[in-house]
Amino acid sequence: RLFTTLFRDSSAAMALVSVSDQRHVDVNEAYLRLTGFHRDDVIGRTSRELGIVSDAEHARMEALAAEGHGAAMPFDLRRVDGDVRSTRLSLSVIALGADQYVLATIHDVTESVRDDCEHDATGRGRADRGSQVAEEVVRAVGASHLARR
């Protein structure tokens, strides 16, 4: 009951996948929002069948699951609309009753990655851009004040 509450109410996208056949057993609402799928489209299907992951990403997921865990691994996830999101994937193998499952927790970091790319492309980080805007405002206010004299 506690697990169910934590799983369902988490703001992080979560999926429970059977180790034996790699099929989705359950997903939370955050997962559905992130992927754009409906629950009925996901349950009973594999990530590969859904087209959420590339073959290379699927192989990485299998390797992590074989180890029993993986924390915050960079991972590209393809939404139902084809948009690719940059995420961080954490996996844990858990036992529920006699069965084993992979609990996947996914955080969308697309915007952070885009900001980092902008930083790399312009040589300016967020703080630098904020300082630049502040300087421009000060200059504009100063020019306006001088113009009134």
Side-chain angles (χ1 to χ4, degrees):
R1 200 186 238 321
L2 177 61
F3 173 80
T4 301
T5 301
L6 293 172
F7 181 85
R8 294 261 182 236
D9 293 345
S10 177
S11 61
M14 299 180 89
L16 192 62
V17 178
S18 171
V19 168
S20 64
D21 62 8
Q22 299 174 350
R23 298 193 178 280
H24 287 82
V25 175
D26 201 359
V27 294
N28 68 1
E29 290 299 318
Y31 181 94
L32 297 173
R33 281 192 303 277
L34 175 62
T35 63
F37 282 97
H38 295 282
R39 182 177 305 284
D40 294 342
D41 297 330
V42 175
I43 303 304
R45 296 181 67 196
T46 68
S47 294
R48 209 181 241 164
E49 289 171 345
L50 294 168
I52 292 173
V53 297
S54 66
D55 289 341
E57 296 286 24
H58 187 74
R60 285 180 53 214
M61 285 173 45
E62 285 181 328
L64 290 171
E67 290 177 16
H69 61 86
M73 302 295 296
F75 180 79
D76 289 334
L77 182 142
R78 183 174 305 279
R79 289 177 37 86
V80 71
D81 61 9
D83 184 35
V84 176
R85 306 298 293 179
S86 297
T87 68
R88 295 294 179 262
L89 171 71
S90 297
L91 299 175
S92 298
V93 175
I94 61 172
L96 295 175
D99 299 317
Q100 287 198 320
Y101 300 92
V102 172
L103 177 62
T105 304
I106 308 162
H107 295 275
D108 187 355
V109 295
T110 304
E111 299 310 317
S112 298
V113 170
R114 285 184 186 153
D115 286 348
D116 289 347
C117 288
E118 278 183 28
H119 178 287
D120 291 343
T122 64
R124 292 180 164 277
R126 263 190 215 174
D128 291 339
R129 286 191 302 272
S131 296
Q132 180 183 12
V133 169
E135 289 170 10
E136 290 172 7
V137 168
V138 167
R139 276 194 295 267
V141 169
S144 172
H145 180 66
L146 288 175
R148 280 191 239 151
R149 285 185 158 180

